[in-house]
């Protein structure tokens, strides 16, 4: 593999830490349309902010979001889902591996061939290179490469979640991760059997034309700040209610055990996947239920 290919794979493994954590989830109640929110009132002496990221989009998009950048600058602490460091790529590679089987044994021959053909079309890679990786990893690779095909990031760009943490470190801000790597992997990988992962991968591959169409709509909806549309686009997924609770709802509740105290101690900028803000069990609703004023803001 070329050095460029190895670099690309390392970047994809980092993306896995964020991408797999955001299933589509049909919510009972949509909040106002915005991916950027101010949290104030109750015991806060100054406002803090919630910003919903789109993990497939590069950080250069943030350059145009003047109000987001100004709010970020005013905060003393940056909060993300997990803290990124140089050790995570290797940890992710270990977590992404299958144990006791291989992909070609887990998938039917025709499904393996269909997945291999799409992977080859999008990336030039042979699926046999990833034969020891679990199906969730392959699905995220496909999703990332589909995004790169239609909405390519510049070679010097980074995912926006990583950007906020890096900028915060450069500016001397405090950095906080809401959960550990192990906790996230247990929720996002280990709750699924290899057979369940294979089922989700094959459903994704078989509906690849819809995936392309929805990816275009998803990018546009995010740029429009249309959180409700993002919910609709991501609602028709194959996750069961219990799987969604483990991956999304329960994590939001755990985060709410930390966020109010962080915001009370000083202005805080929270950058997590956009769907964590939305719906009946989203952070916006949870903060309101806790007695805070949560106001949608324009990103510019």
């Amino acid at each position: 593999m070329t050095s460029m290919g190895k670099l690309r794979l390392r970047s994809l493994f980092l993306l896995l830490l964020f991408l797999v954590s955001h299933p589509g989830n049909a919510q009972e109640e949509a909040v106002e349309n915005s991916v950027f929110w101010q949290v104030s009132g109750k015991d806060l002496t100054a406002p803090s902010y919630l910003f919903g990221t789109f993990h497939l989009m590069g950080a250069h998009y943030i350059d145009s979001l003047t109000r987001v950048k100004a709010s970020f600058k005013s905060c003393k602490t940056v909060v993300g889902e997990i803290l990124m460091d140089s050790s995570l790529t290797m940890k992710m590679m270990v977590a992404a591996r299958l144990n006791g089987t291989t992909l070609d044994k887990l998938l039917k021959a025709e499904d393996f061939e269909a997945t291999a053909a799409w992977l080859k079309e999008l990336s030039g890679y042979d699926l046999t290179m990833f034969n020891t990786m679990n199906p969730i990893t392959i699905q995220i690779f496909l999703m990332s490469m589909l995004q790169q095909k239609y909405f390519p990031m510049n070679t010097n760009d980074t995912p926006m979640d990583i950007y906020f943490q890096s900028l915060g470190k450069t500016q001397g801000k405090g950095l906080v991760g809401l959960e550990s790597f192990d906790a996230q992997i247990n929720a996002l990988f280990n709750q699924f059997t290899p057979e369940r992962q294979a089922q989700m991968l094959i459903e994704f591959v078989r509906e690849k034309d819809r995936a392309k169409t929805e990816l275009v709509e998803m990018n546009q909806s995010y740029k429009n700040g249309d959180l409700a549309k993002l919910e609709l686009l991501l609602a028709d997924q194959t996750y069961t209610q219990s799987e969604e609770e483990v991956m999304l709802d329960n994590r939001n509740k755990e985060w709410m055990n930390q966020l109010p105290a962080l915001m009370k101690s000083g202005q805080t900028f929270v950058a997590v996947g956009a769907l964590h803000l939305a719906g009946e069990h989203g952070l916006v609703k949870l903060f309101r239920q806790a007695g805070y004023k949560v106001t949608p803001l324009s990103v510019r």
Side-chain angles (χ1 to χ4, degrees):
M1 186 185 298
T2 66
S3 59
M4 182 62 70
K6 292 179 181 177
L7 180 61
R8 187 178 182 188
L9 286 178
R10 286 163 60 88
S11 299
L12 287 172
F13 272 113
L14 290 175
L15 277 173
L16 275 169
L17 293 170
F18 296 111
L19 292 174
V20 76
S21 65
H22 302 290
N25 191 15
Q27 304 287 355
E28 299 175 20
E29 177 184 347
V31 296
E32 302 93 320
N33 269 345
S34 181
V35 295
F36 186 41
W37 302 78
Q38 178 180 277
V39 181
S40 60
K42 199 176 179 179
D43 53 2
L44 303 185
T45 58
S48 288
Y49 302 92
L50 303 172
F51 180 71
T53 61
F54 182 26
H55 303 317
L56 288 168
M57 189 173 290
H60 280 152
Y61 175 67
I62 303 297
D63 292 340
S64 66
L65 309 185
T66 52
R67 194 165 185 178
V68 173
K69 291 174 67 177
S71 299
F72 180 90
K73 187 176 182 180
S74 72
C75 292
K76 76 168 192 176
T77 302
V78 180
V79 176
E81 296 178 23
I82 62 172
L83 288 182
M84 303 299 296
D85 63 50
S86 58
S87 70
L88 291 186
T89 299
M90 185 57 66
K91 289 181 179 179
M92 190 67 241
M93 292 178 69
V94 173
R97 291 191 177 278
L98 281 166
N99 294 315
T101 188
T102 54
L103 199 63
D104 60 352
K105 294 178 181 178
L106 194 59
L107 302 181
K108 294 180 180 179
E110 60 268 28
D111 292 330
F112 187 91
E113 291 173 5
T115 303
W118 197 20
L119 181 69
K120 189 73 171 181
E121 173 192 337
L122 292 175
S123 69
Y125 293 136
D126 291 323
L127 186 56
T128 53
M129 294 173 55
F130 308 100
N131 201 32
T132 60
M133 293 183 184
N134 63 43
I136 284 181
T137 300
I138 305 304
Q139 184 173 348
I140 299 304
F141 278 175
L142 289 169
M143 190 185 307
S144 302
M145 293 171 186
L146 192 64
Q147 172 79 9
Q148 185 66 15
K149 178 177 180 178
Y150 292 101
F151 301 94
M153 284 198 299
N154 296 330
T155 55
N156 61 342
D157 207 353
T158 58
M160 57 176 66
D161 301 81
I162 299 173
Y163 164 81
F164 282 122
Q165 291 189 28
S166 298
L167 183 60
K169 184 176 182 180
T170 300
Q171 295 182 358
K173 301 180 188 295
L175 300 179
V176 175
L178 291 169
E179 57 194 9
S180 69
F181 174 86
D182 290 340
Q184 189 169 91
I185 290 302
N186 284 335
L188 307 178
F189 275 22
N190 295 344
Q191 72 155 317
F192 300 108
T193 65
E195 292 75 19
R196 177 68 175 122
Q197 292 185 36
Q199 179 188 13
M200 293 187 291
L201 170 62
I202 294 311
E203 289 178 359
F204 182 71
V205 172
R206 289 174 180 173
E207 297 182 349
K208 65 178 185 179
D209 290 336
R210 190 184 77 171
K212 296 174 185 177
T213 300
E214 290 185 348
L215 181 71
V216 174
E217 295 181 10
M218 192 185 307
N219 276 266
Q220 190 59 53
S221 297
Y222 182 79
K223 290 180 179 179
N224 291 341
D226 194 342
L227 191 60
K229 178 65 173 178
L230 287 172
E231 285 188 87
L232 290 174
L233 285 170
L234 296 175
D236 187 19
Q237 302 294 318
T238 62
Y239 300 103
T240 67
Q241 182 177 349
S242 61
E243 289 168 351
E244 291 175 355
E245 288 174 355
V246 171
M247 289 189 292
L248 195 65
D249 299 348
N250 294 349
R251 294 168 68 211
N252 288 347
K253 293 175 184 177
E254 287 294 323
W255 296 353
M256 284 298 296
N257 292 328
Q258 306 172 61
L259 289 172
L262 287 169
M263 292 180 176
K264 185 178 180 180
S265 68
Q267 285 188 281
T268 300
F269 187 93
V270 181
V272 295
L275 285 183
H276 283 286
L277 309 185
E280 190 69 16
H281 304 288
L283 293 178
V284 169
K285 187 68 174 287
L286 293 178
F287 267 104
R288 287 176 172 169
Q289 289 174 342
Y292 295 89
K293 181 180 180 181
V294 189
T295 308
L297 301 176
S298 169
V299 295
R300 296 179 178 85

